[in-house]
Amino acid sequence: MAKLLDKQRYKCALGAMQTVQAITRALPILHSGPGCAQKLSESTGSSGYFSPNIFPCTSINEKDVVFGGVKKLNSTIENALKVIDADLYVVLTGCIPEIVGDDSGEVVSRFEDADKPVIYAPTAGFKGNNFKGHEQVVDAIIDQYLKKSDKKQKGLVNIWADVPYQDLFWLGNIRELEKLVSELGLTPNTIFGYKRGIENINKIPEAEFNLLVSPWVGLNNVKKLERKFGTPYLHYPTLPIGATETSKFLRAVGEFAGVDKEKVESVIKEHEDYYYYLIERYADLFLENRVINKQFTVVADAQYALGITKFLVNDLGLVPAKQFITDDTPKNHRERIAEEFKNLNFGLEAEVSFETDGYKIHEEIKEHDYHGYPLVLGGYYEKEVTESLKGNFLNISWPVQDKVVLDDSYVGYSGGIRLIENIYTIAVSRFN
């Protein structure tokens, strides 16, 4: 019997078109059917310099399945170079051209002498989801565009986090990571978002080290950068949210980069003093029994499930029920990530389930005894089941349908305060 997957939280690998779009003046060229492009472009906040509605696409059809689509791909790249002003052109392949055996890499190699760089990433949907597609795009930049450099910029740090647009808070989060790193006296380098792009991509081989802030997405990329350029990497698996984890993050980065410990502690103290000043102002609210939830569940990708669980336990003292990771985490990463959920304060541990089926997740939520009304942080899919349990719901992961996010962030000390505000605004509203 065929298996039905209910309410999945990711797209196919071709969804990496959004990773390309997040790079300033980078243009996806899609070698796929027109329906693929249309369905994958329907994400809030993905318009901009290049709208997903005008991405060049070969729009292959039945004839191309029989005779191949390489001629159509060649002409599409040629015309894109003529009529669209971009700094980087990235060919992304869908399922059909890879099934019929189109050599897209060979076609792209014909443009190695073009005025602008053209690279290619195999992103057929049957090869994985858009989390893997994101890694494929970064791999393509490393393998096909970047060149070795004898120059190293002292203090330059490449920062890699999670998947743009899949995470609605991606822009604010990565900007906050930049701010935190720069306060240590280091120079952050990122390639996604405003005024980032080809110039920052060119700096990647010159960095002293790569900083990956993600449970698993991007780990293959930083390992490849180490092999190709000899650039060491620091893998920090937990998205730093709130004082406890952000202070750990700053100490880890400072130690890895050789930053003076007094400087690191000075930065931490300044942030923590203000953070706990704000917490103290609302201490009565946080301790009020009728407001606080007894237990919580997070339904999100590994990045948010882990980061928010640690924050709610370590900073707010809440008790975790089962947590659900929905990004189809590769099996070779799961044991390590599950261990991180045991690394909590107060002797607590969180049980974690790597589950992509929304129906199964909702059934487990309904069957669990939360010892009162639950706090559920997840995708919009969890809103209805939480309301049926008379719980408090906050939409923090894909799909996000009840808020518009421009550059807000949950990262760092300030991000923790934002998350507290969001949670307790919902909690107190039930009593009005």
Side-chain angles (χ1 to χ4, degrees):
M1 181 181 291
K3 179 181 178 181
L4 298 178
L5 183 61
D6 184 50
K7 300 180 179 67
Q8 69 180 45
R9 317 303 173 102
Y10 47 77
K11 304 175 182 178
C12 76
L14 188 61
M17 56 193 263
Q18 293 185 314
T19 294
V20 179
Q21 193 181 19
I23 302 171
T24 302
R25 292 178 55 83
L27 178 73
I29 298 176
L30 309 180
H31 187 26
S32 69
C36 299
Q38 181 180 8
K39 288 181 179 297
L40 293 169
S41 68
E42 295 173 356
S43 292
T44 302
S46 61
S47 54
Y49 182 64
F50 299 121
S51 167
N53 297 311
I54 63 165
F55 289 164
C57 180
T58 54
S59 298
I60 53 180
N61 53 36
E62 291 87 346
K63 179 180 177 181
D64 302 309
V65 173
V66 177
F67 297 104
V70 292
K71 289 184 179 179
K72 189 174 285 187
L73 175 59
N74 191 88
S75 64
T76 302
I77 297 172
E78 279 186 344
N79 290 317
L81 287 165
K82 288 177 184 176
V83 303
I84 301 179
D85 180 24
D87 291 335
L88 176 67
Y89 299 77
V90 184
V91 174
L92 304 175
T93 55
C95 294
I96 296 173
E98 296 209 28
I99 290 174
V100 303
D102 282 359
D103 192 345
S104 303
E106 189 278 328
V107 176
V108 170
S109 69
R110 302 173 193 172
F111 296 89
E112 61 183 359
D113 295 325
D115 292 337
K116 299 291 181 66
V118 183
I119 62 176
Y120 131 88
T123 52
F126 60 81
K127 289 187 174 181
N129 59 24
N130 56 317
F131 292 90
K132 295 297 292 182
H134 169 83
E135 289 191 324
Q136 291 279 33
V137 168
V138 177
D139 269 354
I141 293 171
I142 297 168
D143 291 333
Q144 302 167 42
Y145 177 72
L146 293 179
K147 302 292 188 295
K148 290 185 178 180
S149 174
D150 295 329
K151 183 173 69 171
K152 290 289 183 182
Q153 293 190 36
K154 185 172 177 57
L156 185 66
V157 181
N158 298 322
I159 302 178
W160 308 94
D162 221 325
V163 182
Y165 294 109
Q166 175 72 19
D167 169 15
L168 204 61
F169 299 89
W170 69 272
L171 182 60
N173 284 351
I174 202 164
R175 293 293 88 85
E176 188 62 28
L177 288 172
E178 287 179 339
K179 292 176 184 177
L180 290 168
V181 167
S182 64
E183 287 186 47
L184 297 178
L186 302 171
T187 304
N189 185 53
T190 61
I191 68 172
F192 301 114
Y194 179 66
K195 285 192 174 180
R196 278 64 176 174
I198 200 70
E199 290 185 5
N200 286 24
I201 291 174
N202 291 335
K203 295 176 186 177
I204 289 173
E206 301 174 9
E208 284 196 326
F209 68 95
N210 288 290
L211 171 60
L212 174 65
V213 185
S214 168
W216 69 271
V217 177
L219 187 55
N220 290 333
N221 300 138
V222 295
K223 288 181 176 179
K224 176 169 285 192
L225 286 167
E226 184 178 52
R227 291 194 300 269
K228 184 170 183 176
F229 303 115
T231 311
Y233 68 88
L234 170 62
H235 179 201
Y236 197 86
T238 305
L239 189 70
I241 302 173
T244 302
E245 198 63 38
T246 306
S247 296
K248 288 181 181 178
F249 168 76
L250 288 172
R251 290 187 179 105
V253 174
E255 181 178 1
F256 192 86
V259 178
D260 180 74
K261 288 185 178 181
E262 289 187 5
K263 180 178 181 62
V264 175
E265 294 303 320
S266 175
V267 171
I268 290 172
K269 185 178 186 307
E270 182 176 353
H271 281 292
E272 285 190 349
D273 285 351
Y274 185 63
Y275 180 89
Y276 289 116
Y277 160 75
L278 295 176
I279 297 295
E280 288 170 359
R281 287 176 55 203
Y282 281 86
D284 291 342
L285 172 65
F286 300 148
L287 295 173
E288 189 174 344
N289 286 329
R290 73 188 186 106
V291 174
I292 198 68
N293 296 87
K294 300 289 192 302
Q295 294 185 14
F296 71 89
T297 288
V298 182
V299 184
D301 56 35
Q303 170 181 255
Y304 275 112
L306 179 57
I308 291 178
T309 296
K310 286 194 173 184
F311 168 72
L312 293 179
V313 174
N314 297 341
D315 281 40
L316 296 186
L318 303 188
V319 177
K322 181 180 281 191
Q323 314 302 307
F324 297 92
I325 294 179
T326 59
D327 59 14
D328 198 20
T329 304
K331 291 182 180 179
N332 59 311
H333 295 294
R334 293 184 180 184
E335 183 177 353
R336 174 179 52 79
I337 293 172
E339 284 298 312
E340 286 291 331
F341 282 86
K342 299 177 182 179
N343 186 23
L344 304 174
N345 289 349
F346 315 114
L348 295 174
E349 294 183 2
E351 182 183 359
V352 60
S353 173
F354 296 87
E355 181 58 70
T356 57
D357 192 321
Y359 173 80
K360 293 180 179 179
I361 292 170
H362 291 178
E363 287 302 299
E364 290 200 50
I365 290 175
K366 287 188 286 188
E367 291 172 2
H368 182 77
D369 182 3
Y370 286 88
H371 303 287
Y373 52 86
L375 169 63
V376 178
L377 303 96
Y380 198 74
Y381 295 142
E382 279 66 63
K383 181 179 175 65
E384 184 176 352
V385 68
T386 307
E387 289 178 345
S388 71
L389 298 173
K390 296 181 171 54
N392 292 331
F393 168 74
L394 181 62
N395 194 179
I396 52 90
S397 62
W398 196 91
V400 178
Q401 296 182 6
D402 65 357
K403 59 171 62 69
V404 174
V405 178
L406 299 181
D407 69 348
D408 204 358
S409 167
Y410 282 153
V411 161
Y413 301 96
S414 60
I417 294 298
R418 296 292 85 72
L419 186 49
I420 291 171
E421 289 176 342
N422 292 166
I423 292 171
Y424 279 90
T425 295
I426 292 169
V428 300
S429 66
R430 71 187 295 132
F431 301 106
N432 293 335

